[in-house]
Each structure stands twice: as C-alpha cells, then as structure tokens.
Amino acid sequence: MTGGADPRRLSGAEIVVEYLVRQGVRFAAGIPGHGSWNLTDALLDRAAEIRTIQVIHEQSAVHLADGHYRASGQPILAFTSIGPGATNTVIGMATAYADSTAVALMTGSPHTDMRGHGLLQELERRHVADNPRIFEPVVKEWWQPSRVDELPFVLHRAWNAMVSGRPGPVLLDLPMDVQADSAEVTLPDPAEREARGRVRPAADDVERAADLLRGAKRPVIVAGGGVLLADASEALTALAERLGAPVVTTWNGKGAIDETHELAAYTIGDTGSTSGNALAASADVLLSIGNRFTDWSASSWRKGVTFAIPPTRLVQLDIDPREIGKNYPVAVPLVGDARAGVEDLLAALGQGSRRAYREAKYFAEIQALKEAWAKQIELKSGSGARPMTMARAVREVQAATRDDAIVVTGAGLPQGMVKQRWVTRAPRTHITSGGFSTMGFELPAAIGAQLALPGRQVLAVAGDGSFLQTVQELAAAAMLDLPVCTVVLDNSGWISIKGGQTAFFGRPAATDFLRRGEPYSPDFVAIGDAFGIHSEQVDDPDEVCPAVARALASGGPSLVAVKVDRDLAVAGPDKTGWWDVPVPERHAESRARQLAGRAEEQHR
Ligand SMILES: Cc1ncc(C[n+]2csc(CCOP(=O)(O)OP(=O)(O)O)c2C)c(N)n1
C-alpha cells in the first residue's frame, strides 16, 4: 500500500476514491445523481482499480455491498445521490446493521453554503441537511464533513468504525461542494491507522471457562454470525472435537461448522432442528460464540425449548460487551474476538485425545438425535408429491450445486427452509438477512457475492413475494453478465405470513396472490425472457435439479421458477421450537397457548 507522505492537491471526491483504492476496494455500486456527480466523475479516473456497478434501485446497492462482504470479508462502496436515492438505502443499512456487516455508504448532501435553504431534496425543517439522521439507528457512525481538508481524518475514522470490533455499516454524507472543492492533503496510509490484531478475552476468564468446559458432561457450542465474521470456523471445529461438544448454529451462524461433521447438530430455534434444540436445552455448560440469543434462535426465551439457563451454565464469548448477559445470566463472560477466544480456550484446555469423545454415551445420544432429525426432514424433503413440497425443491436445487456453492436467502418460507434443510459445508456459503429477514435481499446480495467470488456458483433462493421486491436487479445481473442463478419458489403469495396468521389467529388475511379468485403468479419465464436471461419454469420435482444445472451451465444470469405446494400442512419448514406471538382474547385458545408459553419465558 502506498504511504501518504506527500501532500497532494485533490478534490473531495478524488480523496474518497484514492482512499478506497488504498483500502483495496474493488467496486462502487449505486445510482448516480446530482448529489454524486463528483464522485462518479472521480471514479472514472480510477476505473482500472474500482469498477462502478449499476444497480436499478439503491436498496440493492447496499444489499450488493453487504453480500460482497458476507461472501468475502471485504467491504465495498455503495453510493447514491441526495434525498430519495439516499433514503432508498435505509432498509439495506438496517439489514447490515442488524447482522453486523461492513458496508460503506456515500450519499450526496446539499452545498454547505446552501444548507437550510431547501436545495434539491434537502430535509431541512428540523435541522439543516438532515437526511442522515434517518439513518441514525442503523449505522455504527455517520459523518457529514463541511470542509474538504477534513476528509482524510473522516475517512480513516469511518473505515475503522466499520471494520473494527463488531463490524457495521457507516455513512458518509458528503456535500456536493465538498466533493468538488480541492485542498492540499496528506492521505492516511491505511496500514498506519487500522486497529489491527484480535481482541483477546481476559486470561483469567479463559481459565475459568476452560475449567467449566473441562468438567462438563454435556457441553454444547452455540455458533452465531460472529464466528463467521471472525473466520473462526477452523478453531471452532477443533474446539468441538477437543470437547466432544456438538455445535448448534443460529441463522447467521450456519456454516460455522461443516454440516456433515459428526458433531454438527444443526440449527436452533423455532424453525431450527429437533437435535439442535434438544441438545442446547439439555446442556450442562453452553459456550455461546458471537451469538446474541434472539427470539428466533432462543424460541422466545421459553425455558427448556431451546435453552434452559439456568440450570445450564453459560460461557458467553462476544466481541461486543453489550451482548454479554443481555438475555441470560452468565457464568463466565469472555469479551473478545471469536477466533482469538476459541484459540485461547483451546490452549487453556491443553492437549487431549481429539476423537476420544466417540466412546462417550453422550456422543451416541448426539448421533441418535441427529438421525431422528434426518428421518423427520426426509418426510417433506424426500416427498414425491405433486405439487412438490418446497422442502423437496430445496433439496433438488442443492443437488445441482457444488459443495462450495453460495446460497442466498432473504425472508419467508425459503429462508427458513434453506436454514433447516440446505446442507452447508463451508463458512460464508450460506448468506441470509438473518436479523432483519429482509424481503428482496436475495438477488442483489447474490450479485455482490458473485462479484466477490467469480468462480463460485451463486444462487439466490427466494419466494415469489420476496423476489418481486427486487426483481428489477435482473437487469443489473444481465448488464454485468454474471452467472447468478435466481430460483423462485413460487407459491402465489406471502405464504409464510398466511401460515403464521392461520396458526395463531385461526384465519388467514390478505396473503394469497389471487386474480379472479384463482392463485396468481406472473409469468416468471416471460420475466426472465424480458430481461434477456436464461429462464425456465419447473413443476415436476424430478426436473428441478436438471433445470438448475442447465441454468448454472448457461454461463450468464438465469432464473428458474419452481411451482411449490401452497398447502399449509407441507408448505413451510418444520416447527421445532416456540415463538411468542401476541393474540387478542377473542382467539381464546390461541391466546391461552401464548400465555402458557409466556409464563415459562425467561427474558425478564
Ligand atoms: C421488506 C419486508 N417486508 C415484509 C416482511 C414480512 N414478511 C416476512 S416473510 C413475508 C412473505 C414472504 O413471501 P414470499 O417471499 O413469497 O415467501 P413465502 O413465505 O410465500 O414462501 C413477509 C411479508 C419482511 N420480512 N420484509
């Protein structure tokens, strides 16, 4: 990397671009406008280093950057004009914030000397140039410099905030005159500014945690998204083997361990696995890593369903001290990086015969629980019924892919189905908007993942409702000619919502897509054709794998629409835990169930 010793005269936009080049950023995704003309002009001069990617909606620019980061660990830039373009990104930033992923967003802002006058799309009635405050709850930091010579400082501060500790999105709201003005500046050398190294938990805490784990009869490891963010999978697997502990995963933790490993006990929570929940709930010592115990993962904290803490004793490892003890009492807190913490635990535990656990009764129990779960999922996943189950469709889609293929999900039944039934072999190959569960995330995030890893198979697996929220990005994929394959699991409606509403309220409401009383779907093949990409429709379960294989072999963007069963009995993932949904008294039975469950919840 080049140093910043010599002062140079650069415009604000050039400073931004030069800094990004020094950080190794390879892409800038967005939609230009008045507010970012200077930036896109400066990007033209550095096109060899940073490629500008056109999306069709600004939400997608942020999802694309997010997908790039989740797949590769490398942040890129998303950019917009001022006002509506900027505001269009809020859902993307919220998605990144919920899941602690690094996204750099630059939005345009009014000229500093015109602030407050209502220039362009300025929001100024409460405070001048107020647009960024819309983002306040969903960014780690936001900056709005007023002078060009502030930029070198602002850039390294913002970058550091984005990637250090618990990562998160940051916003640079850059006035148009600041983008245009020039100054003599010395650009920071990133190497001299970055918070390098991994934060290690306190040594005495590590010793106490190791003692607890050493003495455990039923240890369980819960891996959250923090394991993947810290690239801790290898160490985690070694620790699991050292302890003979099964590894269960949250939505974002899926992929922390190869799911074909004998100690992988799958996902937890309400649409997790029976093995994951049974083991986590009966652990004597639970080691949680980079996991924030959300309601989805913890079955709304109902005791004994996914967790029972106490009597389980909790060792909680997290980079963010604010997560420690938030939802459960902690026996040993470990504040630190997931990989450093796991490596330190391994060192403290010392040598032990790695695979001796196979002799233990506990191991036999783990295997029995895994087998029972495998048998259970076979019912829907192995079904030959027509219309096909979504579970079968997911199995057939995976059958057409390589082990290192990346699957991206966003919301609804496909998100839960993939979590529950896709066999994830490697870290960063299961990408989902876990915390925010954002409809429309799949395709743009898949484009970002594909840009990051061109040699990989990348599939966006979406429901029809979710896909239609960002369908326009087929144009982005087409212009880039990327081989992203979108699989639409089409059940003519928001069927996850219908299922939930029916289960909890006894009747569905405005969730089917109907036309003249019949289930309605647009012609997805015609949509693919209209965008000029390979597209197919499949109704027969035996045809899904060949169709996806053809789509992947087409070498360009593709769309495979799969008709799946709408019948609620088979439509979704298996319910494996508990989810607290408030219902009114007029739905007496359902309310009684909710109140009974609530009485056992442990979050207060
Ligand atoms: C942007 C956004 N809006 C609303 C929701 C609430 N929501 C979650 S799943 C879902 C329906 C998803 O429908 P579809 O993608 O067709 O999948 P299905 O569940 O029908 O299989 C909705 C409305 C959400 N998660 N994100």
Side-chain angles (χ1 to χ4, degrees):
M1 250 169 230
T2 37
D6 297 326
R8 292 164 66 187
R9 192 163 180 81
L10 295 172
S11 73
E14 286 170 338
I15 295 171
V16 172
V17 172
E18 177 63 32
Y19 181 77
L20 295 175
V21 168
R22 289 179 187 207
Q23 284 290 5
V25 168
R26 294 168 52 224
F27 301 104
I31 299 183
H34 305 51
S36 57
W37 269 330
N38 277 281
L39 176 80
T40 46
D41 179 63
L43 281 166
L44 281 176
D45 291 330
R46 306 304 294 268
E49 288 116 321
I50 300 180
R51 183 170 172 200
T52 301
I53 304 292
Q54 291 169 264
V55 291
I56 308 298
H57 186 295
E58 290 86 351
Q59 166 186 1
S60 308
V62 176
H63 289 332
L64 187 154
D66 192 348
H68 187 282
Y69 177 74
R70 293 185 202 227
S72 65
Q74 291 160 3
I76 62 170
L77 181 74
F79 70 90
T80 73
S81 186
I82 177 176
T87 313
N88 257 347
T89 64
V90 172
I91 187 171
M93 296 295 271
T95 303
Y97 188 77
D99 286 348
S100 310
T101 62
V103 171
L105 172 64
M106 198 200 105
T107 55
S109 189
H111 319 359
T112 50
D113 60 328
M114 294 183 182
R115 281 177 181 163
H117 292 268
L119 163 101
L120 264 172
Q121 299 109 334
E122 179 188 19
L123 301 173
E124 95 301 352
R125 281 176 221 157
R126 291 167 70 89
H127 189 276
V128 298
D130 216 8
N131 301 56
R133 287 208 304 174
I134 296 171
F135 291 85
E136 251 173 19
V138 297
V139 290
K140 235 180 130 179
E141 276 184 9
W142 66 271
W143 295 82
Q144 192 182 52
S146 299
R147 292 183 1 201
V148 68
D149 57 7
E150 289 176 66
L151 269 172
F153 175 73
V154 166
L155 285 166
H156 75 72
R157 296 308 297 152
W159 190 275
N160 241 354
M162 175 176 71
V163 297
S164 64
R166 179 181 194 159
V170 291
L171 168 64
L172 175 63
D173 189 57
L174 201 54
M176 286 181 265
D177 56 332
V178 179
Q179 291 181 42
D181 288 350
S182 291
E184 292 280 314
V185 290
T186 300
L187 276 175
D189 178 353
E192 292 174 353
R193 302 288 183 164
E194 69 189 358
R196 240 176 308 186
R198 293 176 182 270
V199 178
R200 310 203 91 88
D204 54 338
D205 287 335
V206 171
E207 286 303 328
R208 287 199 297 137
D211 282 347
L212 252 187
L213 288 165
R214 205 180 280 119
K217 300 268 177 300
R218 303 179 62 84
V220 172
I221 299 174
V222 188
V227 173
L228 295 157
L229 293 172
D231 292 318
S233 292
E234 216 180 295
L236 172 106
T237 305
L239 182 66
E241 290 173 357
R242 173 70 183 79
L243 294 168
V247 177
V248 301
T249 55
T250 67
W251 221 315
N252 277 323
K254 188 173 164 79
I257 188 168
D258 179 345
E259 288 189 315
T260 64
H261 192 288
E262 61 195 3
L263 289 171
Y266 317 121
T267 56
I268 48 172
D270 193 34
T271 52
S273 67
T274 52
S275 53
N277 284 339
L279 287 162
S282 61
D284 58 353
V285 180
L286 192 78
L287 170 61
S288 167
I289 310 171
N291 152 49
R292 64 191 170 103
F293 291 107
T294 65
D295 63 334
W296 281 335
S297 295
S299 288
S300 294
W301 309 283
R302 183 173 176 177
K303 189 169 183 170
V305 181
T306 299
F307 300 111
I309 311 169
T312 300
R313 307 204 65 200
L314 174 61
V315 177
Q316 189 176 3
L317 169 57
D318 205 288
I319 190 79
D320 184 353
R322 295 188 71 258
E323 290 299 339
I324 303 284
K326 184 172 86 180
N327 286 324
Y328 288 111
V330 177
V332 185
L334 298 173
V335 178
D337 172 82
R339 191 161 120 196
V342 171
E343 285 170 355
D344 288 356
L345 279 171
L346 272 168
L349 285 164
Q351 291 298 315
S353 55
R354 268 263 186 105
R355 299 192 193 268
Y357 61 80
R358 285 187 179 149
E359 313 308 319
K361 248 176 63 191
Y362 185 42
F363 182 70
E365 185 187 334
I366 296 166
Q367 300 314 305
L369 285 165
K370 279 166 56 110
E371 277 156 32
W373 172 240
K375 231 185 197 164
Q376 178 174 329
I377 57 175
E378 194 56 30
L379 293 177
K380 286 185 200 165
S381 295
S383 162
R386 287 171 171 74
M388 83 183 87
T389 61
M390 187 185 286
R392 173 80 192 272
V394 166
R395 173 176 286 186
E396 297 300 329
V397 172
Q398 179 158 31
T401 64
R402 295 192 290 258
D403 282 352
D404 65 353
I406 294 173
V407 63
V408 185
T409 62
L413 298 179
Q415 188 190 27
M417 197 64 85
V418 166
K419 175 179 77 168
Q420 197 170 68
R421 288 153 200 260
W422 189 278
V423 183
T424 303
R425 302 294 312 272
R428 299 182 187 272
T429 61
H430 171 262
I431 293 176
T432 194
S433 55
F436 224 52
S437 203
T438 308
M439 290 171 80
F441 176 78
E442 306 88 344
L443 174 57
I447 293 172
Q450 186 78 81
L451 283 168
L453 301 167
R456 291 279 192 87
Q457 294 174 329
V458 181
L459 298 97
V461 176
D464 47 323
S466 195
F467 171 62
L468 288 170
Q469 289 212 0
T470 50
V471 55
Q472 75 283 346
E473 301 309 334
L474 289 179
M479 288 189 284
L480 290 162
D481 214 11
L482 286 179
V484 171
C485 175
T486 299
V487 178
V488 179
L489 300 178
D490 175 17
N491 52 20
S492 304
W494 301 308
I495 304 303
S496 49
I497 305 302
K498 179 181 180 179
Q501 184 123 14
T502 308
F504 295 110
F505 292 74
R507 52 187 182 174
T511 42
D512 290 313
F513 293 165
L514 299 173
R515 189 175 188 211
R516 297 176 190 144
E518 291 300 315
Y520 169 76
S521 295
D523 182 341
F524 288 107
V525 174
I527 288 177
D529 285 345
F531 280 94
I533 67 170
H534 176 105
S535 63
E536 301 197 28
Q537 165 80 42
V538 192
D539 299 337
D540 181 335
D542 295 332
E543 276 305 311
V544 175
C545 177
V548 174
R550 280 192 297 276
L552 289 168
S554 74
S558 56
L559 177 65
V560 180
V562 183
K563 273 264 181 252
V564 294
D565 201 338
R566 316 177 72 242
D567 182 345
L568 296 180
V570 294
D574 290 9
K575 190 174 166 60
T576 52
W578 163 253
W579 201 28
D580 185 320
V581 175
V583 271
E585 280 176 1
R586 68 174 177 280
H587 297 298
E589 241 179 73
S590 185
R591 186 169 173 88
R593 269 199 307 275
Q594 186 225 342
L595 294 182
R598 198 163 78 175
E600 294 175 6
E601 290 168 11
Q602 293 184 284
H603 54 283
R604 281 170 290 268

